[in-house]
Coordinates of all heavy atoms in Angstrom, one line a residue:
N8 N 9.9 12.6 0.1 CA 10.5 12.9 1.4 C 9.5 13.2 2.5 O 9.7 14.0 3.3 CB 11.3 14.2 1.1 CG 12.5 13.9 0.2 OD1 13.0 12.8 0.1 ND2 13.0 15.0 -0.4
Q9 N 8.4 12.5 2.4 CA 7.3 12.6 3.4 C 7.6 11.6 4.5 O 7.9 10.5 4.3 CB 6.0 12.3 2.7 CG 4.8 12.6 3.5 CD 4.7 14.1 3.9 OE1 4.9 14.4 5.1 NE2 4.4 14.9 3.0
T10 N 7.4 12.1 5.8 CA 7.6 11.3 6.9 C 6.3 10.9 7.6 O 6.3 10.0 8.4 CB 8.5 12.0 7.9 OG1 7.9 13.2 8.3 CG2 9.9 12.2 7.3
Q11 N 5.2 11.6 7.4 CA 4.0 11.3 8.1 C 3.2 10.2 7.3 O 2.9 10.4 6.1 CB 3.1 12.6 8.2 CG 3.7 13.6 9.1 CD 2.9 14.8 9.3 OE1 1.8 14.9 8.7 NE2 3.3 15.7 10.1
T12 N 2.9 9.2 8.0 CA 2.3 8.0 7.4 C 0.9 8.3 6.9 O 0.5 7.7 5.9 CB 2.3 6.8 8.3 OG1 1.7 7.2 9.6 CG2 3.7 6.3 8.6
R13 N 0.2 9.2 7.5 CA -1.2 9.5 7.0 C -1.1 10.2 5.6 O -1.9 9.9 4.8 CB -1.9 10.5 8.0 CG -2.2 9.8 9.3 CD -2.9 10.8 10.2 NE -3.1 10.3 11.5 CZ -3.4 11.0 12.6 NH1 -3.6 12.3 12.5 NH2 -3.5 10.4 13.8
K14 N -0.2 11.1 5.4 CA 0.0 11.7 4.2 C 0.5 10.7 3.1 O 0.0 10.8 1.9 CB 0.9 12.9 4.2 CG 0.4 14.1 5.0 CD 1.3 15.2 5.0 CE 0.7 16.4 5.8 NZ 1.6 17.6 5.8
I15 N 1.3 9.8 3.5 CA 1.8 8.8 2.5 C 0.6 8.0 2.1 O 0.5 7.7 0.9 CB 2.9 7.9 3.2 CG1 4.1 8.7 3.4 CG2 3.1 6.7 2.3 CD1 5.2 7.9 4.2
M16 N -0.3 7.6 3.0 CA -1.4 6.8 2.6 C -2.4 7.6 1.8 O -3.0 7.0 0.9 CB -2.1 6.3 3.9 CG -1.3 5.3 4.7 SD -0.7 3.9 3.8 CE -2.3 3.0 3.6
A17 N -2.5 8.9 2.0 CA -3.4 9.7 1.2 C -2.9 9.8 -0.2 O -3.6 9.7 -1.2 CB -3.5 11.1 1.8
Y18 N -1.6 10.0 -0.4 CA -1.0 10.1 -1.7 C -1.1 8.8 -2.4 O -1.3 8.7 -3.6 CB 0.4 10.6 -1.7 CG 0.6 12.0 -1.2 CD1 1.6 12.3 -0.3 CD2 -0.3 13.0 -1.6 CE1 1.8 13.6 0.1 CE2 -0.1 14.3 -1.2 CZ 0.9 14.6 -0.3 OH 1.0 15.9 0.2
S19 N -1.0 7.7 -1.7 CA -1.1 6.3 -2.2 C -2.5 6.1 -2.8 O -2.7 5.6 -3.8 CB -0.8 5.3 -1.2 OG -1.1 4.0 -1.6
S20 N -3.5 6.6 -2.0 CA -4.9 6.5 -2.5 C -5.2 7.2 -3.8 O -5.9 6.8 -4.7 CB -5.9 7.0 -1.4 OG -5.7 6.2 -0.2
I21 N -4.6 8.4 -3.9 CA -4.8 9.2 -5.1 C -4.1 8.5 -6.3 O -4.7 8.5 -7.4 CB -4.2 10.6 -4.9 CG1 -5.0 11.4 -3.8 CG2 -4.1 11.4 -6.2 CD1 -4.4 12.7 -3.3
A22 N -2.9 8.0 -6.1 CA -2.2 7.3 -7.1 C -3.0 6.0 -7.6 O -3.1 5.8 -8.8 CB -0.8 6.9 -6.7
H23 N -3.5 5.3 -6.6 CA -4.3 4.1 -7.0 C -5.6 4.4 -7.7 O -6.1 3.6 -8.5 CB -4.5 3.2 -5.8 CG -3.3 2.4 -5.4 ND1 -2.3 2.9 -4.6 CD2 -2.9 1.1 -5.8 CE1 -1.4 1.9 -4.5 NE2 -1.7 0.9 -5.2
L24 N -6.2 5.5 -7.3 CA -7.4 5.9 -8.0 C -7.2 6.2 -9.5 O -8.0 5.8 -10.3 CB -8.0 7.2 -7.3 CG -9.3 7.7 -7.9 CD1 -10.4 6.8 -7.7 CD2 -9.6 9.1 -7.2
G25 N -6.0 6.8 -9.8 CA -5.7 7.0 -11.2 C -5.5 5.7 -11.9 O -6.0 5.6 -13.1
W26 N -4.9 4.7 -11.3 CA -4.7 3.4 -12.0 C -6.1 2.7 -12.2 O -6.4 2.1 -13.2 CB -3.9 2.5 -11.1 CG -2.4 2.7 -11.2 CD1 -1.7 3.5 -10.3 CD2 -1.5 2.3 -12.3 NE1 -0.4 3.5 -10.8 CE2 -0.3 2.8 -12.0 CE3 -1.7 1.6 -13.4 CZ2 0.9 2.6 -12.8 CZ3 -0.6 1.4 -14.2 CH2 0.7 1.9 -13.9
M27 N -7.0 2.8 -11.2 CA -8.3 2.2 -11.3 C -9.2 2.9 -12.3 O -10.0 2.3 -13.0 CB -9.0 2.2 -9.9 CG -8.3 1.2 -9.0 SD -9.2 1.0 -7.5 CE -7.9 0.7 -6.4
A28 N -9.1 4.3 -12.4 CA -9.9 5.0 -13.4 C -9.4 4.7 -14.8 O -10.2 4.6 -15.7 CB -9.7 6.5 -13.1
T29 N -8.1 4.4 -14.9 CA -7.6 4.1 -16.3 C -8.1 2.7 -16.8 O -8.5 2.6 -17.9 CB -6.0 3.9 -16.2 OG1 -5.5 5.2 -15.7 CG2 -5.4 3.6 -17.5
I30 N -8.3 1.8 -15.9 CA -8.7 0.4 -16.4 C -10.2 0.2 -16.3 O -10.7 -0.7 -16.8 CB -7.9 -0.7 -15.6 CG1 -8.0 -2.0 -16.3 CG2 -8.5 -0.8 -14.2 CD1 -7.3 -2.1 -17.6
S31 N -10.9 1.1 -15.6 CA -12.4 0.9 -15.3 C -13.2 0.7 -16.6 O -14.1 -0.1 -16.6 CB -12.9 2.1 -14.5 OG -12.9 3.3 -15.3
S32 N -12.9 1.4 -17.7 CA -13.7 1.2 -18.9 C -13.3 0.1 -19.8 O -14.0 -0.3 -20.7 CB -13.7 2.5 -19.7 OG -12.4 2.8 -20.1
I33 N -12.1 -0.5 -19.5 CA -11.5 -1.5 -20.4 C -11.8 -2.9 -19.8 O -12.4 -3.7 -20.5 CB -10.0 -1.3 -20.6 CG1 -9.7 0.1 -21.1 CG2 -9.4 -2.4 -21.5 CD1 -8.3 0.5 -21.1
M34 N -11.3 -3.1 -18.6 CA -11.5 -4.5 -18.0 C -11.9 -4.4 -16.6 O -11.1 -4.0 -15.7 CB -10.1 -5.2 -18.0 CG -9.6 -5.6 -19.4 SD -10.4 -7.0 -20.1 CE -9.9 -8.3 -19.1
T35 N -13.2 -4.7 -16.3 CA -13.7 -4.6 -15.0 C -13.1 -5.7 -14.0 O -13.0 -5.5 -12.8 CB -15.2 -4.7 -14.9 OG1 -15.6 -5.9 -15.6 CG2 -15.8 -3.5 -15.6
N36 N -12.7 -6.8 -14.6 CA -12.1 -7.9 -13.8 C -10.8 -7.4 -13.2 O -10.5 -7.7 -12.0 CB -11.8 -9.2 -14.6 CG -13.1 -9.8 -15.1 OD1 -14.2 -9.6 -14.5 ND2 -13.1 -10.6 -16.2
I37 N -10.0 -6.8 -14.0 CA -8.7 -6.3 -13.5 C -9.0 -5.1 -12.4 O -8.3 -5.0 -11.4 CB -7.8 -5.8 -14.6 CG1 -7.4 -6.9 -15.5 CG2 -6.6 -5.1 -14.1 CD1 -6.6 -6.5 -16.7
L38 N -10.0 -4.3 -12.7 CA -10.4 -3.3 -11.7 C -10.8 -3.9 -10.4 O -10.3 -3.4 -9.3 CB -11.5 -2.4 -12.3 CG -12.2 -1.4 -11.3 CD1 -11.2 -0.3 -11.1 CD2 -13.5 -0.9 -11.9
I39 N -11.6 -4.9 -10.4 CA -12.0 -5.5 -9.1 C -10.8 -6.2 -8.4 O -10.7 -6.0 -7.2 CB -13.1 -6.5 -9.4 CG1 -14.4 -5.8 -9.8 CG2 -13.4 -7.4 -8.2 CD1 -15.5 -6.7 -10.4
M40 N -9.9 -6.8 -9.2 CA -8.8 -7.4 -8.6 C -7.8 -6.4 -8.0 O -7.4 -6.5 -6.8 CB -8.0 -8.3 -9.6 CG -6.8 -8.9 -9.0 SD -5.6 -9.6 -10.2 CE -5.0 -8.1 -10.9
N41 N -7.7 -5.3 -8.7 CA -6.8 -4.2 -8.2 C -7.4 -3.6 -7.0 O -6.7 -3.3 -6.0 CB -6.7 -3.1 -9.3 CG -5.7 -2.1 -9.0 OD1 -4.9 -2.2 -8.1 ND2 -5.6 -1.0 -9.8
L42 N -8.7 -3.4 -6.9 CA -9.4 -2.8 -5.8 C -9.3 -3.7 -4.6 O -9.0 -3.3 -3.5 CB -10.9 -2.6 -6.1 CG -11.7 -1.9 -5.0 CD1 -11.2 -0.5 -4.6 CD2 -13.2 -1.9 -5.4
L43 N -9.5 -5.0 -4.8 CA -9.3 -6.0 -3.6 C -7.9 -6.0 -3.1 O -7.7 -6.0 -1.8 CB -9.8 -7.3 -4.1 CG -11.3 -7.5 -4.3 CD1 -11.6 -8.9 -4.8 CD2 -12.1 -7.2 -3.0
I44 N -6.9 -6.1 -4.0 CA -5.5 -6.1 -3.5 C -5.2 -4.8 -2.7 O -4.6 -4.8 -1.7 CB -4.6 -6.3 -4.7 CG1 -4.7 -7.8 -5.2 CG2 -3.1 -6.0 -4.3 CD1 -3.9 -8.1 -6.4
Y45 N -5.7 -3.7 -3.3 CA -5.4 -2.4 -2.6 C -6.1 -2.3 -1.3 O -5.5 -1.9 -0.3 CB -5.9 -1.2 -3.5 CG -5.8 0.1 -2.8 CD1 -4.5 0.7 -2.6 CD2 -6.9 0.8 -2.4 CE1 -4.4 1.9 -2.0 CE2 -6.8 2.0 -1.8 CZ -5.5 2.5 -1.5 OH -5.4 3.7 -0.9
L46 N -7.3 -2.8 -1.2 CA -8.0 -2.7 0.1 C -7.4 -3.6 1.2 O -7.2 -3.2 2.3 CB -9.5 -3.1 -0.1 CG -10.4 -2.1 -0.8 CD1 -11.8 -2.7 -1.0 CD2 -10.5 -0.8 0.0
I47 N -6.9 -4.8 0.8 CA -6.3 -5.7 1.7 C -4.9 -5.1 2.2 O -4.7 -5.1 3.4 CB -6.1 -7.1 1.0 CG1 -7.4 -7.8 0.9 CG2 -5.1 -7.9 1.9 CD1 -7.4 -9.0 0.0
M48 N -4.2 -4.6 1.3 CA -2.9 -4.0 1.7 C -3.1 -2.7 2.5 O -2.4 -2.6 3.5 CB -2.0 -3.6 0.4 CG -1.5 -4.9 -0.3 SD -0.3 -4.5 -1.6 CE -1.2 -3.4 -2.6
T49 N -4.0 -1.9 2.2 CA -4.2 -0.7 2.9 C -4.8 -1.0 4.3 O -4.3 -0.4 5.3 CB -5.2 0.2 2.2 OG1 -4.7 0.5 0.9 CG2 -5.4 1.5 2.9
T50 N -5.6 -2.0 4.4 CA -6.2 -2.4 5.7 C -5.1 -2.9 6.6 O -5.0 -2.6 7.8 CB -7.3 -3.4 5.5 OG1 -8.3 -2.9 4.7 CG2 -7.9 -3.8 6.9
S51 N -4.2 -3.7 6.0 CA -3.1 -4.2 6.8 C -2.1 -3.1 7.3 O -1.7 -3.2 8.4 CB -2.3 -5.3 6.1 OG -1.5 -4.7 5.0
V52 N -1.9 -2.1 6.5 CA -1.0 -1.0 6.9 C -1.7 -0.2 8.0 O -1.1 0.1 9.0 CB -0.7 -0.1 5.7 CG1 0.0 1.2 6.1 CG2 0.2 -0.8 4.7
F53 N -3.0 0.1 7.8 CA -3.7 0.9 8.8 C -3.8 0.1 10.2 O -3.6 0.7 11.2 CB -5.1 1.2 8.4 CG -5.2 2.5 7.5 CD1 -5.9 2.4 6.3 CD2 -4.6 3.6 7.9 CE1 -5.9 3.6 5.5 CE2 -4.6 4.8 7.1 CZ -5.3 4.7 5.9
F54 N -4.1 -1.2 10.1 CA -4.1 -1.9 11.4 C -2.7 -2.0 12.0 O -2.6 -1.9 13.3 CB -4.6 -3.3 11.2 CG -6.1 -3.4 11.1 CD1 -6.7 -4.3 10.2 CD2 -6.9 -2.6 11.9 CE1 -8.1 -4.4 10.1 CE2 -8.3 -2.7 11.8 CZ -8.9 -3.6 10.9
S55 N -1.7 -2.1 11.2 CA -0.3 -2.1 11.8 C 0.0 -0.7 12.4 O 0.6 -0.7 13.5 CB 0.7 -2.4 10.7 OG 0.5 -3.6 10.1
L56 N -0.4 0.3 11.8 CA -0.2 1.7 12.3 C -1.0 1.9 13.6 O -0.5 2.5 14.5 CB -0.5 2.7 11.3 CG 0.4 2.8 10.1 CD1 -0.1 3.8 9.1 CD2 1.8 3.2 10.5
I57 N -2.2 1.4 13.6 CA -3.0 1.5 14.8 C -2.4 0.7 16.0 O -2.3 1.2 17.1 CB -4.5 1.1 14.6 CG1 -5.1 2.1 13.7 CG2 -5.2 0.9 15.9 CD1 -6.5 1.7 13.1
I58 N -2.0 -0.5 15.7 CA -1.4 -1.4 16.8 C -0.1 -0.8 17.3 O 0.1 -0.8 18.5 CB -1.2 -2.8 16.3 CG1 -2.6 -3.5 16.0 CG2 -0.4 -3.6 17.2 CD1 -2.5 -4.8 15.3
S59 N 0.7 -0.3 16.4 CA 2.0 0.3 16.8 C 1.9 1.7 17.3 O 2.9 2.2 17.9 CB 3.0 0.2 15.7 OG 2.6 1.0 14.6
K60 N 0.8 2.3 17.1 CA 0.6 3.7 17.6 C 1.6 4.7 17.0 O 2.1 5.6 17.6 CB 0.6 3.8 19.1 CG -0.6 3.1 19.7 CD -0.5 3.2 21.2 CE -1.6 2.3 21.8 NZ -1.4 2.0 23.2
S61 N 2.0 4.4 15.7 CA 3.0 5.3 15.1 C 2.3 6.2 14.1 O 1.4 5.9 13.4 CB 4.0 4.5 14.4 OG 3.4 3.7 13.4
K62 N 2.8 7.5 14.1 CA 2.2 8.5 13.2 C 3.2 8.9 12.1 O 2.9 9.5 11.1 CB 1.8 9.7 14.0 CG 0.7 9.4 15.0 CD 0.2 10.7 15.6 CE -0.7 10.4 16.8 NZ -1.9 9.8 16.6
T63 N 4.5 8.7 12.4 CA 5.5 9.0 11.4 C 6.4 7.8 11.1 O 6.4 6.8 11.9 CB 6.4 10.2 11.9 OG1 7.1 9.7 13.1 CG2 5.6 11.4 12.2
I64 N 7.2 7.9 10.1 CA 8.2 6.8 9.8 C 9.2 6.6 10.9 O 9.6 5.5 11.3 CB 8.9 7.1 8.5 CG1 7.9 7.2 7.3 CG2 10.0 6.1 8.2 CD1 7.2 5.9 7.0
Q65 N 9.5 7.7 11.6 CA 10.5 7.6 12.7 C 9.9 6.9 13.9 O 10.6 6.2 14.6 CB 10.9 9.0 13.2 CG 11.9 9.8 12.3 CD 11.1 10.4 11.1 OE1 9.9 10.6 11.2 NE2 11.9 10.8 10.1
D66 N 8.6 6.9 14.1 CA 7.9 6.2 15.1 C 8.0 4.7 14.9 O 8.0 3.9 15.9 CB 6.4 6.6 15.2 CG 6.2 8.0 15.7 OD1 7.2 8.6 16.3 OD2 5.1 8.5 15.6
T67 N 8.1 4.3 13.7 CA 8.2 2.8 13.4 C 9.5 2.3 13.8 O 9.6 1.0 14.0 CB 8.0 2.5 11.9 OG1 8.9 3.2 11.1 CG2 6.6 2.9 11.5
T68 N 10.5 3.1 14.0 CA 11.8 2.6 14.4 C 11.7 2.1 15.9 O 12.4 1.1 16.2 CB 12.9 3.6 14.3 OG1 12.6 4.8 15.0 CG2 13.2 4.0 12.8
S69 N 10.9 2.7 16.7 CA 10.7 2.3 18.0 C 9.9 1.0 18.1 O 9.9 0.3 19.1 CB 10.2 3.4 18.9 OG 8.9 3.7 18.5
T70 N 9.1 0.8 17.1 CA 8.2 -0.4 17.0 C 9.1 -1.7 16.8 O 8.7 -2.7 17.2 CB 7.2 -0.3 15.9 OG1 6.5 1.0 16.0 CG2 6.2 -1.4 15.9
W71 N 10.2 -1.5 16.2 CA 11.1 -2.7 15.9 C 11.4 -3.4 17.2 O 11.4 -4.7 17.2 CB 12.3 -2.2 15.2 CG 13.3 -3.3 14.9 CD1 14.4 -3.6 15.6 CD2 13.1 -4.3 13.8 NE1 15.0 -4.7 15.0 CE2 14.2 -5.2 14.0 CE3 12.2 -4.5 12.8 CZ2 14.4 -6.2 13.1 CZ3 12.4 -5.6 12.0 CH2 13.5 -6.4 12.1
T72 N 11.7 -2.7 18.3 CA 12.1 -3.4 19.5 C 10.9 -4.1 20.1 O 11.1 -5.2 20.8 CB 12.7 -2.4 20.5 OG1 11.7 -1.4 20.8 CG2 14.0 -1.8 20.0
L73 N 9.7 -3.6 20.0 CA 8.5 -4.2 20.6 C 8.0 -5.4 19.7 O 7.6 -6.5 20.3 CB 7.4 -3.2 20.7 CG 7.7 -2.0 21.6 CD1 6.6 -1.0 21.5 CD2 7.9 -2.4 23.0
S74 N 8.0 -5.2 18.4 CA 7.4 -6.3 17.5 C 8.1 -6.2 16.2 O 7.6 -5.5 15.3 CB 5.9 -6.2 17.4 OG 5.4 -7.1 16.5
P75 N 9.2 -7.0 16.0 CA 9.9 -6.9 14.7 C 9.0 -7.5 13.6 O 9.1 -7.0 12.4 CB 11.1 -7.8 14.9 CG 11.2 -8.1 16.3 CD 9.9 -7.8 17.0
T76 N 8.2 -8.4 13.8 CA 7.3 -9.0 12.8 C 6.3 -8.0 12.3 O 6.1 -7.8 11.1 CB 6.5 -10.2 13.3 OG1 7.5 -11.1 13.9 CG2 5.8 -10.9 12.2
L77 N 5.7 -7.2 13.2 CA 4.7 -6.2 12.8 C 5.4 -5.1 12.0 O 4.9 -4.6 11.0 CB 4.1 -5.6 14.0 CG 3.1 -4.4 13.8 CD1 1.9 -5.0 13.1 CD2 2.8 -3.8 15.1
T78 N 6.6 -4.7 12.3 CA 7.4 -3.7 11.6 C 7.7 -4.2 10.2 O 7.6 -3.5 9.2 CB 8.7 -3.4 12.3 OG1 8.3 -3.0 13.7 CG2 9.4 -2.2 11.7
I79 N 8.1 -5.5 10.1 CA 8.4 -6.0 8.8 C 7.2 -6.1 7.9 O 7.2 -5.7 6.7 CB 9.1 -7.4 8.9 CG1 10.5 -7.3 9.5 CG2 9.1 -8.2 7.6 CD1 11.1 -8.6 9.9
I80 N 6.1 -6.5 8.4 CA 4.8 -6.6 7.7 C 4.4 -5.2 7.2 O 4.0 -5.0 6.1 CB 3.7 -7.3 8.5 CG1 4.0 -8.7 8.6 CG2 2.3 -7.0 7.9 CD1 3.1 -9.5 9.6
M81 N 4.5 -4.2 8.1 CA 4.2 -2.8 7.8 C 5.0 -2.3 6.6 O 4.5 -1.7 5.7 CB 4.2 -1.9 9.0 CG 3.8 -0.5 8.8 SD 3.7 0.6 10.2 CE 4.5 -0.3 11.5
M82 N 6.3 -2.5 6.7 CA 7.2 -1.9 5.7 C 7.0 -2.6 4.4 O 7.1 -2.0 3.3 CB 8.7 -2.0 6.2 CG 9.0 -1.1 7.3 SD 8.7 0.6 6.9 CE 8.4 1.3 8.5
L83 N 6.8 -4.0 4.4 CA 6.6 -4.7 3.1 C 5.3 -4.3 2.5 O 5.2 -4.2 1.3 CB 6.6 -6.2 3.4 CG 8.0 -6.8 3.5 CD1 7.9 -8.3 3.9 CD2 8.8 -6.6 2.2
S84 N 4.3 -4.0 3.3 CA 3.0 -3.5 2.8 C 3.1 -2.2 2.2 O 2.5 -1.9 1.1 CB 1.9 -3.5 3.9 OG 1.7 -4.8 4.4
L85 N 3.9 -1.3 2.8 CA 4.1 0.1 2.3 C 4.9 0.0 0.9 O 4.5 0.7 0.0 CB 4.9 1.0 3.3 CG 4.0 1.5 4.4 CD1 4.9 2.2 5.4 CD2 3.0 2.5 3.9
L86 N 5.9 -0.9 0.9 CA 6.6 -1.1 -0.4 C 5.7 -1.7 -1.4 O 5.8 -1.3 -2.6 CB 7.8 -1.9 -0.1 CG 9.0 -1.2 0.7 CD1 10.1 -2.3 1.0 CD2 9.5 0.0 -0.1
S87 N 4.8 -2.6 -1.1 CA 3.9 -3.2 -2.0 C 2.9 -2.2 -2.5 O 2.6 -2.2 -3.7 CB 3.2 -4.4 -1.4 OG 2.4 -5.0 -2.3
L88 N 2.5 -1.3 -1.7 CA 1.6 -0.2 -2.1 C 2.3 0.7 -3.1 O 1.6 1.2 -4.0 CB 1.1 0.6 -1.0 CG -0.1 0.0 -0.1 CD1 -0.3 0.8 1.1 CD2 -1.3 -0.1 -1.0
G89 N 3.6 0.8 -3.0 CA 4.3 1.6 -4.0 C 4.5 0.9 -5.3 O 4.8 1.5 -6.3
G90 N 4.2 -0.4 -5.4 CA 4.2 -1.1 -6.6 C 5.6 -1.7 -7.1 O 5.9 -1.8 -8.2
L91 N 6.4 -2.0 -6.1 CA 7.7 -2.6 -6.5 C 7.6 -4.0 -7.1 O 6.8 -4.8 -6.6 CB 8.6 -2.6 -5.2 CG 9.0 -1.3 -4.6 CD1 9.9 -1.4 -3.4 CD2 9.8 -0.5 -5.7
P92 N 8.3 -4.3 -8.1 CA 8.1 -5.5 -8.9 C 8.1 -6.8 -8.1 O 7.2 -7.6 -8.5 CB 9.3 -5.5 -9.9 CG 9.6 -4.1 -10.1 CD 9.3 -3.4 -8.7
P93 N 8.9 -7.1 -7.1 CA 8.7 -8.5 -6.6 C 7.5 -8.6 -5.6 O 7.2 -9.7 -5.2 CB 10.0 -8.7 -5.8 CG 10.5 -7.4 -5.5 CD 10.0 -6.5 -6.6
L94 N 6.8 -7.5 -5.3 CA 5.8 -7.5 -4.3 C 4.4 -7.5 -5.0 O 4.2 -7.3 -6.2 CB 5.9 -6.3 -3.4 CG 7.2 -6.3 -2.7 CD1 7.4 -5.0 -1.9 CD2 7.4 -7.4 -1.7
T95 N 3.3 -7.8 -4.2 CA 2.0 -8.0 -4.7 C 1.4 -6.8 -5.4 O 0.7 -6.9 -6.3 CB 1.1 -8.4 -3.5 OG1 1.6 -9.5 -2.8 CG2 -0.3 -8.7 -4.0
G96 N 1.7 -5.6 -5.0 CA 1.2 -4.4 -5.5 C 1.6 -4.1 -7.0 O 1.0 -3.3 -7.7
F97 N 2.6 -4.8 -7.4 CA 3.1 -4.6 -8.8 C 2.2 -5.4 -9.8 O 2.0 -4.9 -11.0 CB 4.5 -5.1 -8.9 CG 5.1 -5.1 -10.3 CD1 5.4 -3.9 -10.9 CD2 5.3 -6.2 -11.1 CE1 5.9 -3.8 -12.2 CE2 5.8 -6.2 -12.3 CZ 6.1 -5.0 -12.9
I98 N 1.6 -6.5 -9.4 CA 0.8 -7.3 -10.3 C -0.3 -6.5 -11.0 O -0.5 -6.6 -12.2 CB 0.3 -8.6 -9.6 CG1 1.5 -9.4 -9.2 CG2 -0.6 -9.4 -10.5 CD1 1.2 -10.6 -8.3
P99 N -1.2 -5.8 -10.3 CA -2.3 -5.1 -10.9 C -1.8 -4.0 -11.9 O -2.3 -3.8 -13.0 CB -3.1 -4.5 -9.8 CG -2.7 -5.2 -8.6 CD -1.3 -5.7 -8.8
K100 N -0.7 -3.3 -11.5 CA -0.2 -2.3 -12.4 C 0.4 -2.9 -13.6 O 0.2 -2.3 -14.7 CB 0.9 -1.5 -11.6 CG 0.3 -0.7 -10.5 CD 1.3 0.0 -9.7 CE 0.7 0.8 -8.6 NZ 1.6 1.5 -7.7
W101 N 1.0 -4.1 -13.5 CA 1.6 -4.7 -14.7 C 0.5 -5.2 -15.6 O 0.5 -5.0 -16.8 CB 2.4 -5.9 -14.2 CG 3.0 -6.7 -15.3 CD1 3.8 -6.3 -16.3 CD2 2.9 -8.1 -15.5 NE1 4.2 -7.3 -17.1 CE2 3.6 -8.4 -16.7 CE3 2.2 -9.1 -14.8 CZ2 3.7 -9.7 -17.1 CZ3 2.3 -10.4 -15.3 CH2 3.0 -10.7 -16.5
L102 N -0.6 -5.7 -15.1 CA -1.8 -6.1 -15.9 C -2.4 -5.0 -16.6 O -2.9 -5.1 -17.7 CB -2.8 -6.9 -15.0 CG -2.3 -8.3 -14.5 CD1 -3.3 -8.9 -13.5 CD2 -2.1 -9.2 -15.7
I103 N -2.5 -3.8 -15.9 CA -3.1 -2.6 -16.5 C -2.3 -2.2 -17.6 O -2.8 -1.8 -18.7 CB -3.3 -1.5 -15.4 CG1 -4.4 -1.9 -14.4 CG2 -3.6 -0.2 -16.0 CD1 -4.6 -1.0 -13.2
M104 N -1.0 -2.2 -17.5 CA -0.1 -1.7 -18.6 C -0.1 -2.7 -19.7 O 0.0 -2.3 -20.9 CB 1.3 -1.6 -18.1 CG 1.5 -0.3 -17.2 SD 3.2 0.1 -16.8 CE 3.6 -1.2 -15.7
E105 N -0.4 -4.0 -19.5 CA -0.5 -5.0 -20.5 C -1.7 -4.7 -21.4 O -1.7 -5.0 -22.6 CB -0.5 -6.4 -20.0 CG 0.9 -6.8 -19.5 CD 1.9 -7.1 -20.6 OE1 1.5 -7.6 -21.6 OE2 3.0 -6.7 -20.4
E106 N -2.8 -4.3 -20.7 CA -4.1 -4.1 -21.5 C -3.9 -2.8 -22.2 O -4.5 -2.6 -23.2 CB -5.2 -4.0 -20.5 CG -5.6 -5.3 -19.9 CD -6.1 -6.3 -21.0 OE1 -6.8 -5.9 -21.9 OE2 -5.7 -7.5 -20.9

């Protein structure tokens, strides 16, 4: 029930650190892939937040009228960071669980 995007990103970083610590001693290839995917997704979310000048989830609703594409990319990146199955963020978590 968090609305501030900075806190959401901080909690996301803590969660991803746990996934990376879990796989670090087993498979470094999966660790590197997980880190690269996480960095790319986080960078895209941060750039989207900077461009839209939004600090909360409610601020992103006003971004929709200015740039619908940016809003869609930002929301899909946030969902992917959460690790939903059809999105990119699910693949590293699935591979970690397989190992």
